[in-house]
Amino acid sequence: KQLDWCEVSIWVDREYEKYQQQKLDIKNPEELAAAEFDCIIITPERERIVKQISEYLIANNLNQGKEIYGRLV
């Protein structure tokens, strides 16, 4: 999906099953391990969630050593 400031190659959420039931193309975060991307952009509503998500991705090597950016919405 092309946005005005980036191209989304994969959208993940730990609650992906809930979104898939709503017919949204949201994937399991584990799929990042096989995905191709340049960086990860996290867009939660609260700053502490950026930290939690970043720590989870790094601890599970799902960021593939790529940069993680937080952008509050």
Side-chain angles (χ1 to χ4, degrees):
K1 179 179 179 178
Q2 183 71 40
L3 301 177
D4 59 341
W5 54 277
C6 72
E7 180 180 336
V8 176
S9 57
I10 184 170
W11 188 328
V12 300
D13 192 291
R14 285 195 275 191
E15 296 182 7
Y16 67 97
E17 292 170 325
K18 172 179 76 173
Y19 295 110
Q20 288 177 350
Q21 290 175 357
Q22 298 171 30
K23 306 293 185 222
L24 297 171
D25 189 24
I26 311 297
K27 308 288 187 196
N28 182 333
E30 300 299 319
E31 292 190 37
L32 284 171
E36 290 186 33
F37 55 87
D38 296 322
C39 67
I40 294 175
I41 301 172
I42 303 168
T43 58
E45 295 177 347
R46 290 184 283 291
E47 185 66 35
R48 69 176 175 80
I49 306 235
V50 171
K51 186 174 191 264
Q52 291 172 350
I53 294 170
S54 295
E55 289 172 351
Y56 169 81
L57 294 172
I58 292 167
N60 293 286
N61 198 33
L62 296 174
N63 66 320
Q64 300 178 21
K66 308 267 177 74
E67 195 69 39
I68 299 174
Y69 300 97
R71 181 174 189 230
L72 298 180
V73 291

